[in-house]
Amino acid sequence: MIIQPKTRGFICTTAHPEGCAQQVLRQVEYVKSKPAIAGPRNVLVIGASTGYGLASRIVSSFAAGANTIGVYFDKAAEGARTASAGWYNSAAFEKAAAEAGRKSYSIVGDAFSDEIKTQTIDLIRSELGSIDLVVYSVASPRRTHPKTGETFASVIKPIGGTYTNKTVNFHSGDVTEATIEPATEDEIRQTIAVMGGEDWQMWIDQLEEAGVLVDGATTVAYSYIGPEITHAVYREGTIGYAKNDLEATAKRLSEQLGKKGGRAFVSVNKALVTQSSSAIPVVPLYISALYKVMKENGTHEGCIEQMYRLFSDRLYNASGETLVDDRGLIRVDDWEMRPEIQAEVAKLWSELTTENVYELSDLAGYRKEFFQLFGFETDGIDYEADANQDVPIPNLR
Ligand code: NAD
C-alpha cells in the first residue's frame, strides 16, 4: 500500500518500512566507516528499537562485532495499519546483523514485566550463554509494577511552582508560551516509578541471580541534564527527580557489580530528536536552536555519533579508564554544554518568535528528523510507490 505520514500531535501513527530500513542502514554505514572498538562480546539492550537504544545496539554489533539481544515494545502491522517504526528498524537491523555474521535476537514485550525478564534470561542461556554489557534505554509513559500490579503514569511537570516558557508547534512553526502547573506529590512518585532506576535494578538482580552476567560486566543507562531554560520543566521537574533516582541506582549497581570487577554508569547524552523528546514542551524549540548553533559550529551529532563516541571514547577506550565528572556521570553532552554553544543558544532563545523561527533556529531540520524517525522524508525512497507493510523480524522470540 501507499504509506504516508499521519500525525496526531507529537506522534506519527504510521511508519514506512523502507524508509526506516534506510535510516538504520545509514547508521550502520556510519559505524562501519569508523575504527572498530575492542568492546563487548554479548550485549543486551533494553529499549533497543529507536533512539539511543537502537544506536547502542548498532554500535555494539557493527563497531564491536558483538552479538545482541534487543528488548522493545513495538507493534507488528495489522491489516492496513503499519507496524511501528521500532518494528521496522529492528527488522532492518537484524537482517544487516545476520548478513554481517553476527547473532541477534529480538524480544517484543513489556520490559517492566517478570515474564519478559524470564524470557530474556532463557534466550541468553540458550543462544549466547552470558552477557557482558547491559544497556538500559527504556523511555515509556507508563509502567505496571511486576510485584504490586500498580500502574504508574509519568508526567513532565515542574515541581513547586508554575513554569512558563516559549514552546513551538513544530508542524506549524507557531512559537507560543507554554504554562505548566506543578506536579502533585503523587505525580512525582509515579514518574520516579516509571523513569527512575527500579526496573534497571530488577533487570541486573535477575540477570545476576540467573548467573548469565559475566564477572566484570558493564551496565549503562541514559540521562539528560540540559540548559538553564529547561531546568524547571526537566532537570528540576518530575523527570529530573526520576533521573536522580536512576543515577542513585547506578551508584548502587556500581557497588554490587564492582564486587566481581563490574561497572555501572549513567551516561548523560545530548538533546536529540526522538519520539520521547518530541513529547516534552519547550524541548523541541531548544533542540531547534541547539541544532542551528552546533551545525554551524561543526559539532552537531545524532544518536549514532553520540553512541559511537560513548563506546569508543568512554566505555571501551584504549586506556581502560572511563572519564566521568565529579558526580560520577559520563558526559557525552559535553559538546552541547560548552559555554560558547550555550551562550549562543541563549541569545537565539531570547529573540525567537513565530516570525523568525525558521531563520534563527533549525526548526526545518527538527521537523525533517521527526519524520525520519518514522521512515519518511528519507532520500532514495519513492513514497508514491507501493510498500509492503508486513515485514517480519528475522529472529523474533
Ligand atoms: P525512544 O523513545 O527513542 O526509545 C525508547 C525505547 O524504549 C524504544 O525502543 C521503546 O520500544 C522502548 N520501550 C518503551 N516502553 C517499553 C516497555 N514497556 N518495554 C520494553 N521497551 C519499551 O527514547 P530515547 O530518547 O532514545 O530515550 C532513551 C533514554 O535516553 C531515556 O532514558 C532518555 O531519558 C535518555 N535520553 C534521551 C535524550 C533525548 O534527547 N532524546 C537525551 C538524553 C538522554
Side-chain angles (χ1 to χ4, degrees):
M1 65 182 191
I2 311 276
I3 304 173
Q4 298 288 349
K6 274 199 200 114
T7 55
R8 201 164 6 100
F10 49 76
I11 54 168
C12 183
T13 57
T14 53
H16 199 284
E18 290 157 29
C20 287
Q22 187 86 335
Q23 293 295 337
V24 169
L25 294 180
R26 187 192 62 74
Q27 295 194 45
V28 169
E29 287 312 313
Y30 169 80
V31 164
K32 281 166 61 178
S33 75
K34 308 293 282 182
I37 300 171
R41 308 310 317 145
N42 293 306
V43 180
L44 170 62
V45 182
I46 306 155
S49 62
T50 54
Y52 278 120
L54 172 65
S56 307
R57 195 177 186 199
I58 292 172
V59 171
S60 298
S61 187
F62 291 94
N67 303 314
T68 64
I69 294 177
V71 177
Y72 47 89
F73 204 51
D74 277 279
K75 287 205 171 81
E78 218 184 295
R81 207 187 61 204
T82 72
S84 53
W87 180 278
Y88 293 139
N89 290 343
S90 302
F93 168 85
E94 292 225 346
K95 188 161 171 274
E99 282 165 9
R102 271 145 229 156
K103 289 185 182 176
S104 73
Y105 305 92
S106 284
I107 291 189
V108 175
D110 181 7
F112 299 131
S113 70
D114 281 342
E115 292 87 318
I116 290 295
K117 291 183 178 77
T118 304
Q119 201 186 325
T120 306
I121 287 165
D122 290 345
L123 178 62
I124 296 170
R125 279 206 185 103
S126 65
E127 301 297 339
L128 302 183
S130 59
I131 290 291
D132 57 349
L133 171 66
V134 180
V135 176
Y136 190 84
S137 188
V138 174
S140 172
R142 264 175 307 281
R143 170 176 173 229
T144 298
H145 197 282
K147 310 292 178 216
T148 66
E150 182 178 359
T151 296
F152 309 102
S154 77
V155 296
I156 297 161
K157 289 189 178 181
I159 292 173
T162 302
Y163 170 76
T164 300
N165 213 326
K166 288 180 189 177
T167 195
V168 70
N169 174 333
F170 57 85
H171 298 297
S172 68
D174 286 334
V175 177
T176 53
E177 290 228 308
T179 294
I180 313 170
E181 296 303 324
T184 62
E185 284 300 322
D186 195 51
E187 285 173 325
I188 300 170
R189 180 186 71 90
Q190 293 203 34
T191 305
I192 294 172
V194 180
M195 289 297 287
E198 188 184 20
D199 185 57
W200 185 24
Q201 176 82 54
M202 286 178 165
W203 269 99
I204 299 298
D205 286 346
Q206 294 185 32
L207 291 165
E208 258 204 316
E209 275 159 30
V212 294
L213 263 192
V214 300
D215 290 352
T218 298
T219 186
V220 64
Y222 300 136
S223 185
Y224 183 63
I225 294 178
E228 198 65 46
I229 39 175
T230 63
H231 276 182
V233 70
Y234 192 93
R235 192 64 220 197
E236 288 156 15
T238 47
I239 195 87
Y241 273 44
K243 292 299 185 190
N244 291 343
D245 186 68
L246 189 79
E247 289 161 19
T249 305
K251 285 213 173 70
R252 273 199 308 279
L253 288 176
S254 209
E255 280 171 26
Q256 185 175 331
L257 297 178
K259 290 180 190 139
K260 293 182 184 162
R263 314 178 293 166
F265 294 104
V266 162
S267 172
V268 183
N269 302 341
K270 179 194 182 197
L272 282 176
V273 184
T274 66
Q275 293 188 36
S276 299
S277 65
S278 55
I280 308 176
V282 184
V283 166
L285 186 58
Y286 165 71
I287 293 179
S288 303
L290 180 74
Y291 273 28
K292 168 98 173 165
V293 174
M294 291 189 84
K295 282 180 182 175
E296 283 176 6
N297 183 262
T299 48
H300 176 69
E301 295 174 298
C303 284
I304 196 68
E305 289 85 358
Q306 278 268 292
M307 293 299 96
Y308 181 80
R309 196 152 67 88
L310 170 66
F311 278 58
S312 62
D313 194 47
R314 307 295 162 92
L315 289 175
Y316 298 100
N317 61 24
S319 79
E321 291 288 315
T322 294
L323 180 69
V324 291
D325 69 7
D326 52 4
R327 288 160 57 200
L329 303 169
I330 297 176
R331 303 297 299 266
V332 286
D333 67 337
D334 48 354
W335 298 355
E336 169 183 358
M337 298 313 289
R338 281 181 180 160
E340 65 276 18
I341 297 287
Q342 285 303 321
E344 194 61 34
V345 173
K347 183 171 172 291
L348 291 181
W349 189 262
S350 65
E351 295 166 7
L352 278 167
T353 62
T354 304
E355 288 65 41
N356 62 24
V357 68
Y358 285 101
E359 187 195 327
L360 295 191
S361 82
D362 188 27
L363 186 61
Y366 185 100
R367 212 175 160 277
K368 183 169 182 166
E369 271 195 32
F370 173 81
F371 283 108
Q372 286 179 341
L373 296 176
F374 304 92
F376 299 107
E377 301 211 13
T378 299
D379 291 342
I381 305 294
D382 179 359
Y383 291 103
E384 302 306 321
D386 248 342
N388 180 7
Q389 74 274 24
D390 240 332
V391 179
I393 294 178
N395 280 318
L396 181 64
R397 294 307 164 105

